[in-house]
């Protein structure tokens, strides 16, 4: 997707100046689409709870940023679908019935949700796809550079295998949910780095991103390839990396191979400290969530110039071309970069990472205050 995400800064700026943005901002009352003040409600639909990011970061950050941008008058109405497509459809309908002003939508199933997006559109409610590119007539999209996530995971994995890595090295790929368009991009990004360099001995998608599904399928991969023949495991996120580690330990593996992850969940950062997991991908949730809140509020308040400045990339979904978008950068989290990523950004303190159980391991890698 990154390849088609072209920056159109100059042209959008011109467009909004020529369009109604300036007039709207001046509040001349003649605008075709009346804009709102600070008393707004943002509907936030998040996909699941197995991953800690949603309740711990995405929701509270968006809630606080909307409050800040609206002098504490704006509200966020939050619903989590707990990985259920039908529950999310109901939650979306509820937001429409409640007449929220804008919807931030992180889809469980990006394709199935299209009908709901159309309903919101028909009700005059703008929809901004959050983190996952929902199909249907969305107004904007904000996410991380997901292909880069896969590339960073794979490059770090190759680095862990060292210069002797070759096609005799057997890798297992534990990919994410087939209904999540990001999962496909993580996989593509990873394959662009791994192909031809190692052997992908087994590769599977994981329903709902569930750690227990990854664990069960990993157990089958171990049985097929042999517990001592797996050079490394590409796990698309931290939750599944946890499942993979359980499966390897249950099979009697004592020297764990390099395993990847994503999301910099606290458990995973601690596993990186103890070398059980080789890496995670740090994605700045504040960067993504705050930009989403800004997009929602500027959209409603008719601040077109600011909205355009926030959405200078263009992305095509299977149904909609040239969606105004913002793609946020990511970086690898390894033992060497814990301090410069999650600690520097205030996601976790060293105290939270280096609890009694991890004190010695933290000291061994020089992670201290
Ligand atoms: C992806 C998201 C990741 C992770 C994963 C599992 O869509 O980009 O950060 O949360 O879902 O829930």
């Amino acid at each position: 997707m990154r390849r088609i995400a072209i920056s159109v800064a100059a042209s959008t700026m011109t467009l909004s100046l020529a369009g109604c943005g300036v007039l709207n901002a001046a509040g001349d009352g003649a605008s075709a689409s009346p804009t709102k003040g600070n008393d707004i409600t943002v509907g936030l639909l998040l996909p699941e709870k197995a991953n800690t990011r949603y309740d711990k970061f995405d929701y509270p950050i968006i809630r606080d940023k909307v409050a800040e941008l609206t002098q504490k008058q704006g509200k966020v109405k939050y619903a989590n679908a707990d990985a259920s497509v039908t529950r999310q459809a109901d939650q979306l309908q509820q937001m429409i019935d409640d007449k929220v002003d804008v919807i931030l939508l992180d889809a469980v199933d990006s394709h199935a949700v299209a009908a709901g997006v159309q309903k919101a559109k028909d009700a005059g409610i703008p929809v901004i796809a959050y983190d996952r590119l929902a199909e249907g007539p969305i107004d904007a999209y904000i996410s991380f550079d997901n292909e880069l996530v896969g590339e960073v995971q794979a490059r770090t994995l190759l680095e862990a295998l060292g210069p002797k890595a070759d096609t005799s090295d057997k890798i297992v790929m534990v990919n994410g949910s087939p209904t999540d368009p990001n999962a496909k991009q993580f996989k593509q990004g990873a394959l662009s780095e791994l192909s031809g360099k190692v052997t992908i001995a087994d590769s599977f998608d994981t329903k709902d991103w569930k750690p227990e599904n990854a664990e069960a399928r990993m157990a089958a991969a171990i049985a097929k390839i042999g517990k001592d023949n797996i050079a490394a495991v590409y796990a698309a996120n931290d939750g599944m990396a946890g499942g993979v580690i359980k499966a390897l330990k249950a099979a009697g593996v004592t020297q764990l191979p390099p395993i990847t992850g994503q999301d910099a969940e606290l458990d995973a950062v601690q596993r990186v400290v103890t070398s059980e997991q080789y890496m995670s991908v740090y994605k700045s949730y504040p960067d993504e969530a705050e930009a989403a809140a800004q997009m929602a509020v500027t959209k409603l308040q008719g601040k077109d110039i600011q909205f355009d400045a926030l959405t200078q990339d263009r992305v095509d979904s299977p149904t909609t071309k040239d969606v105004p978008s913002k793609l946020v950068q990511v970086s690898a989290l390894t033992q060497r970069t814990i301090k410069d990523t999650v600690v520097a950004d205030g996601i976790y303190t060293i105290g939270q990472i280096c609890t009694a159980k991890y004190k010695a391991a933290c000291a061994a890698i020089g992670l201290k205050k």
Side-chain angles (χ1 to χ4, degrees):
M1 185 203 300
R2 195 147 32 90
R3 315 215 189 299
I4 47 164
I6 29 162
S7 183
V8 287
S11 58
T12 25
M13 276 306 201
T14 335
L15 269 179
S16 46
L17 285 168
C20 57
V22 174
L23 292 179
N24 273 356
D28 70 338
S31 154
S33 54
T35 56
K36 314 241 175 202
N38 282 330
D39 186 14
I40 53 175
T41 304
V42 177
L44 174 65
L45 294 166
L46 295 180
E48 54 133 318
K49 292 183 178 161
N51 191 315
T52 51
R53 62 167 284 187
Y54 302 108
D55 281 332
K56 222 169 146 184
F57 299 110
D58 298 270
Y59 166 55
I61 295 171
I62 291 172
R63 179 197 60 205
D64 294 352
K65 190 72 187 174
V66 167
E68 182 197 312
L69 293 169
T70 57
Q71 292 170 352
K72 298 216 168 91
Q73 290 178 53
K75 283 185 245 4
V76 172
K77 199 174 263 195
Y78 166 45
N80 188 303
D82 212 357
S84 159
V85 176
T86 51
R87 189 167 312 143
Q88 187 163 62
D90 292 346
Q91 291 171 337
L92 177 52
Q93 185 60 51
Q94 190 63 51
M95 299 272 178
I96 298 171
D97 295 345
D98 292 347
K99 298 192 168 53
V100 300
D101 297 300
V102 60
I103 293 173
L104 287 172
L105 169 63
D106 193 341
V108 176
D109 183 325
S110 59
H111 179 70
V113 85
V117 173
Q118 183 66 54
K119 279 191 205 164
K121 176 99 184 163
D122 295 343
I125 303 172
V127 177
I128 299 172
Y130 182 68
D131 199 75
R132 301 179 184 172
L133 186 57
E135 294 182 24
I138 53 171
D139 293 85
Y141 168 56
I142 162 106
S143 190
F144 293 97
D145 185 335
N146 294 310
E147 218 171 289
L148 179 65
V149 170
E151 289 169 15
V152 166
Q153 291 170 319
R155 265 187 245 135
T156 317
L157 196 70
L158 291 173
E159 184 188 292
L161 289 173
K164 284 198 231 114
D166 64 24
T167 48
S168 69
D169 286 316
K170 292 186 177 144
I171 305 278
V172 177
M173 281 189 94
V174 183
N175 304 298
S177 163
T179 65
D180 175 352
N182 294 351
K184 203 190 270 171
Q185 292 186 300
F186 302 147
K187 195 192 320 184
Q188 270 165 7
L191 282 174
S192 73
E193 294 287 332
L194 296 174
S195 295
K197 297 193 188 121
V198 291
T199 295
I200 315 287
D202 199 356
S203 173
F204 51 89
D205 293 341
T206 310
K207 190 171 182 310
D208 298 334
W209 286 97
K210 291 222 162 98
E212 55 274 28
N213 295 344
E215 184 183 342
R217 188 55 182 77
M218 183 67 203
I222 297 168
K224 178 172 128 188
I225 305 164
K227 76 174 170 63
D228 300 319
N229 300 328
I230 298 172
V233 182
Y234 166 90
N237 82 353
D238 288 339
M240 299 196 306
V244 163
I245 292 169
K246 277 194 194 156
L248 286 165
K249 285 185 175 169
V253 176
T254 46
Q255 276 285 98
L256 290 169
I259 299 160
T260 64
Q262 165 182 195
D263 290 325
E265 293 200 70
L266 184 55
D267 296 7
V269 176
Q270 290 170 328
R271 289 195 297 259
V272 169
V273 168
T274 58
S275 302
E276 278 202 314
Q277 183 175 325
Y278 188 75
M279 65 89 71
S280 183
V281 177
Y282 173 57
K283 315 203 291 194
S284 168
Y285 300 124
D287 283 357
E288 184 187 37
E290 287 178 6
Q294 278 166 339
M295 280 161 70
V297 173
T298 53
K299 177 90 195 155
L300 287 177
Q301 295 184 337
K303 294 181 174 160
D304 294 0
I305 294 175
Q306 274 138 290
F307 180 81
D308 291 345
L310 281 163
T311 53
Q312 296 193 353
D313 296 321
R314 289 293 175 275
V315 166
D316 294 345
S317 85
T319 61
T320 314
K321 289 232 171 320
D322 288 336
V323 177
S325 303
K326 178 178 172 76
L327 300 182
V328 179
Q329 294 303 295
V330 303
S331 57
L333 180 144
T334 58
Q335 288 183 343
R336 267 177 295 127
T337 60
I338 292 175
K339 219 169 180 172
D340 296 339
T341 53
V342 285
V343 176
D345 276 10
I347 304 294
Y348 311 120
T349 61
I350 291 187
Q352 283 171 316
I353 300 167
C354 302
T355 53
K357 191 173 163 197
Y358 298 94
K359 270 245 152 64
C362 281
I365 61 164
L367 188 62
K368 49 179 184 276
K369 284 181 208 155

